């Protein structure tokens, strides 16, 4: 039996409602996923930025310290060439060795902080992969909701002819008018003529 126009409109209204719900779900999921993606990516950049800037400043300070130490060494060598005071040169070289050791320790700290940048908990590539994976998981829900919309529309599409046509033909045949329902068959020779 065919649906009434009212029932069909109600079914279409339900399909539109499902469609609107799906649009809202996709938009909400995209906003949430993008927000998380943006936050992780910003965190990655900011963390790297601090360590890289601090590392650059530290390396420049080390280089400046080495420049000063080189000048001090040249002065100590000149003093030694004039005075031949081996104890003064030895004391200077011990002090210089300690300062070099402190520069190495400072450089090691810089290297360690840069290792955290080079080996983060999530790299930018992994952040993108996580975002894509999260979107893919959400897409599974979207597909399920899309399937519900298609099912609602399919339910409204009645491809069968109304039973009333068959009932009317049966009634006509029962009344003895069945020959009126037969269509004339054209032979191929009549069509060619």
């Amino acid at each position: 039996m065919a649906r009434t126009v009212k029932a069909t409109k109600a079914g279409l209204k339900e399909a539109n409602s499902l469609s609107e719900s799906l649009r809202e779900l996709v938009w909400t999921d995209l906003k949430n996923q993008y927000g998380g993606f943006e936050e992780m990516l910003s965190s990655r950049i900011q963390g790297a930025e601090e360590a890289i800037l601090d590392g650059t400043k530290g390396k420049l300070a080390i280089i400046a310290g080495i420049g000063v130490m080189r000048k001090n060494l040249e002065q100590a060598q000149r003093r030694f060439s004039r005075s031949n005071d081996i104890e003064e040169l030895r004391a200077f070289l011990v002090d210089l060795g300690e300062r070099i050791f402190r520069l190495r320790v400072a450089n090691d700290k810089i290297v360690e902080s840069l290792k955290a940048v080079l080996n983060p908990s999530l790299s930018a590539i992994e952040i993108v992969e996580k975002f894509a994976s999260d979107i893919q998981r959400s897409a599974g829900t979207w597909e399920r909701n899309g399937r519900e919309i298609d099912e609602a529309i399919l339910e409204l599409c009645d491809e069968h002819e109304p039973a009333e046509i068959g009932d009317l033909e049966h009634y006509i045949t029962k009344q003895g008018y069945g020959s009126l329902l037969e269509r004339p068959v054209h032979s191929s020779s009549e069509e060619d003529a």
Side-chain angles (χ1 to χ4, degrees):
M1 184 167 151
R3 292 178 179 268
T4 65
V5 172
K6 185 176 181 179
T8 301
K9 284 183 177 181
L12 288 170
K13 185 176 180 181
E14 176 64 23
N16 277 319
S17 176
L18 289 170
S19 177
E20 184 58 34
S21 293
L22 177 57
R23 278 193 287 275
E24 288 176 16
L25 176 65
V26 169
W27 181 244
T28 300
D29 285 349
L30 286 175
K31 282 193 310 189
N32 290 339
Q33 299 298 344
Y34 183 76
F37 167 76
E38 195 172 54
E39 184 178 313
M40 286 187 294
L41 197 55
S42 293
S43 175
R44 168 73 173 122
I45 297 297
Q46 288 171 351
E49 183 178 346
E50 283 180 34
I52 291 169
L53 285 174
D54 289 346
T56 301
K57 291 174 186 175
K59 292 276 187 177
L60 289 174
I62 289 171
I63 292 168
I66 291 170
V68 169
M69 291 165 59
R70 186 176 295 274
K71 286 181 184 177
N72 291 344
L73 178 60
E74 289 170 0
Q75 289 171 352
Q77 286 174 328
R78 281 194 297 272
R79 275 193 313 269
F80 176 71
S81 66
R82 284 189 304 257
S83 70
N84 278 340
D85 186 354
I86 191 77
E87 288 304 317
E88 180 185 358
L89 181 60
R90 183 175 297 154
F92 172 78
L93 291 174
V94 168
D95 180 56
L96 184 65
E98 289 174 1
R99 290 175 16 198
I100 289 172
F101 177 76
R102 286 193 299 269
L103 289 179
R104 281 212 164 102
V105 168
N107 186 64
D108 289 345
K109 287 180 182 178
I110 292 169
V111 169
E112 283 302 312
S113 69
L114 291 176
K115 281 183 182 177
V117 170
L118 295 172
N119 302 309
S121 58
L122 280 178
S123 69
I125 293 169
E126 291 168 330
I127 291 169
V128 170
E129 288 173 347
K130 182 180 179 341
F131 175 67
S133 175
D134 291 346
I135 291 293
Q136 186 64 35
R137 271 195 303 280
S138 293
T141 303
W142 306 341
E143 288 174 12
R144 188 170 45 253
N145 290 7
R147 200 171 294 113
E148 288 177 12
I149 292 169
D150 286 342
E151 288 171 2
I153 290 172
L154 183 64
E155 191 176 300
L156 294 172
C157 295
D158 187 3
E159 295 177 321
H160 301 94
E161 70 178 34
E164 289 78 3
I165 291 177
D167 291 345
L168 179 60
E169 287 177 336
H170 180 69
Y171 178 76
I172 291 171
T173 303
K174 195 169 155 186
Q175 296 301 318
Y177 304 118
S179 60
L180 295 176
L181 298 176
E182 294 176 12
R183 293 186 179 174
V185 178
H186 299 287
S187 67
S188 59
S189 59
E190 288 178 358
E191 289 177 5
D192 293 340

